[in-house]
Amino acid sequence: MKKHPIKPEFTFKIFEMLGGLWITGCIKTAAEMNIADLLADGPKTVSILASETNSQEEPLYRIMRALSSAGIFEELENRVFALNDFGAALQTDVPGTAKEFVLTIMNEHFPAYGDLTYVAQTGKIPFEHIHGIDLWQFYKNNPEAGENFGKGMTGMSGMELQGILENYDFSPYKKIVDIGGGNGTMMYSILNASPYSSGIIFDEAHVLEKTVKLIPENLKERCSVAAGNFFGEILKGADLYTMKWIMHDWSDEECVQILENCYAAMPKGAKLLIIDAVIPDDSLNKPHIAKLLDIVMLACLTGRERTLNEFKILLQRSGLHFNRLIQIGTEAKSIIECEKR
């Protein structure tokens, strides 16, 4: 077998990329120890942080130094650390936080990323190989992890909700159903921006037990919940349906089933918004965040991130008409507008 000569600069480049794993371990520790929350009131010495987190000063300093070298928090003189905009993304219960998503990725998901050889050789899901059950059953069996996962999805939503509202006009729609709407964060944002619309959050009953308690007081007359499953019958009669970060969780056959159920529920002329990452069809050798998110799908679920052409094929198979692709300012999400004609 012929050998290709190795250039030392690319060996070092691989070494640098491994640094991403090491810094991610430090991010996990900062999230677990609530470092961003502790620094929110002002800079602190590492000795104070160690005392407040019940940890040892020297190893904590080395972790904080590594984080600050990557721009997460700021190291000042005399081992003092301050919160900056990057570190603030790890705060607890702040809109747009990445904290819970970090803990999801670095806890139950993490072992699957080291087992990609398994999926490459067998086509089977590493998460199930490691945990013995699928992701959704894992969260049913481990409700605390499931709640953290839900909060993680909500936190990630914060980075795109503004872009969704700035680039799509929801005001013409009288009745909106958010399929798999979870705790309702997107629906509340839509209804606040569209005062003449009403909304229904459609999700499984065990999810909605908490959702119904979260509906803001000012929206209770216009927002309600409905229990169901998108693999079964979907609530009928809305003029707009939305699905955010749903399709990428499922295989092509499962997606067609979901879309066919949407089609059956939609009146003629109703629209469906698929809000998901879309890989450009002409992206050979080009970086795109969805190509990395796709590895999460590969490791943990039956789903995948898709190109626009792949989405169009799914829509055609389900009977829906593709209208347009709308960019919202982040590669992590775009809006695919389709319609029942």
Side-chain angles (χ1 to χ4, degrees):
M1 181 182 296
K2 185 178 179 181
K3 302 289 186 181
H4 191 90
I6 294 174
K7 297 181 179 180
E9 60 266 34
F10 289 102
T11 300
F12 186 71
K13 186 69 176 175
I14 293 289
F15 184 78
E16 284 184 320
M17 296 183 83
L18 288 173
L21 173 63
W22 303 327
I23 199 67
T24 303
C26 296
I27 293 171
K28 175 177 180 282
T29 294
E32 289 175 331
M33 290 186 169
N34 301 311
I35 297 293
D37 300 325
L38 295 173
L39 293 177
D41 291 331
K44 291 181 178 178
T45 64
V46 72
S47 62
I48 292 175
L49 287 174
S51 175
E52 292 178 337
T53 58
N54 193 31
S55 57
Q56 297 182 29
E57 180 175 338
E58 189 58 28
L60 181 59
Y61 170 73
R62 290 161 67 181
I63 291 167
M64 292 298 296
R65 178 178 63 184
L67 287 166
S68 298
S69 75
I72 305 170
F73 307 117
E74 182 180 358
E75 182 177 7
L76 308 177
E77 297 293 332
N78 301 315
R79 294 192 169 197
V80 173
F81 290 91
L83 188 66
N84 57 11
D85 288 342
F86 203 168
L90 293 174
Q91 292 176 98
T92 307
D93 294 330
V94 177
T97 180
K99 178 183 174 181
E100 286 82 11
F101 191 70
V102 166
L103 295 177
T104 289
I105 293 296
M106 292 300 292
N107 285 323
E108 63 267 21
H109 287 199
F110 185 73
Y113 305 133
D115 204 18
L116 294 176
T117 303
Y118 176 77
V119 64
Q121 293 183 335
T122 69
K124 298 179 181 179
I125 301 168
F127 186 95
E128 296 179 13
H129 180 229
I130 290 164
H131 293 284
I133 51 177
D134 68 34
L135 184 77
W136 309 119
Q137 189 60 50
F138 179 91
Y139 287 135
K140 288 180 181 177
N141 294 355
N142 299 274
E144 188 173 329
E147 184 175 355
N148 182 77
F149 174 76
K151 288 181 178 179
M153 296 302 97
T154 299
M156 291 294 100
S157 292
M159 68 182 180
E160 70 255 352
L161 282 178
Q162 183 177 348
I164 292 170
L165 294 174
E166 288 177 350
N167 291 280
Y168 197 87
D169 182 11
F170 292 89
S171 61
Y173 304 101
K174 300 304 180 187
K175 184 178 179 181
I176 303 169
V177 172
D178 188 15
I179 300 169
N183 64 13
T185 299
M186 184 169 75
M187 180 61 78
Y188 309 146
S189 297
I190 290 171
L191 294 181
N192 280 323
S194 308
Y196 300 106
S197 302
S198 65
I200 302 172
I201 302 161
F202 179 84
D203 214 317
E204 294 187 288
H206 74 275
V207 174
L208 298 179
E209 287 176 5
K210 292 185 178 180
T211 304
V212 72
K213 300 174 184 176
L214 298 173
I215 298 174
E217 197 65 36
N218 69 308
L219 296 178
K220 285 187 175 178
E221 292 186 1
R222 294 192 290 127
C223 185
S224 60
V225 303
N229 186 300
F230 44 62
F231 286 113
E233 186 174 349
I234 293 173
L235 198 68
K236 291 184 166 76
D239 48 353
L240 179 68
Y241 291 80
T242 59
M243 287 195 300
K244 182 167 70 66
W245 254 12
I246 300 293
M247 299 290 283
H248 75 162
D249 287 339
W250 305 98
S251 68
D252 286 355
E253 294 305 316
E254 290 166 320
C255 284
V256 169
Q257 184 181 346
I258 294 169
L259 291 170
E260 286 177 342
N261 292 342
C262 290
Y263 184 91
M266 296 165 67
K268 188 174 181 181
K271 293 187 175 65
L272 167 68
L273 304 185
I274 299 170
I275 304 170
D276 240 313
V278 179
I279 302 172
D281 289 309
D282 59 348
S283 67
L284 285 178
N285 300 310
K286 297 175 184 176
H288 194 282
I289 189 60
K291 295 180 181 181
L292 301 182
L293 290 172
D294 188 51
I295 301 304
V296 180
M297 303 300 110
L298 186 67
C300 298
L301 292 161
T302 60
R304 62 185 302 149
E305 305 297 344
R306 295 177 172 88
T307 64
L308 181 58
N309 187 55
E310 288 169 333
F311 274 112
K312 287 179 177 179
I313 291 170
L314 296 179
L315 294 174
Q316 186 177 36
R317 288 179 60 188
S318 64
L320 288 162
H321 177 79
F322 168 78
N323 280 350
R324 54 180 174 149
L325 176 68
I326 304 164
Q327 304 294 349
I328 65 168
T330 170
E331 288 185 348
K333 296 282 191 308
S334 299
I335 299 173
I336 298 171
E337 183 190 66
C338 45
E339 183 176 352
K340 179 174 181 177
R341 292 190 170 181

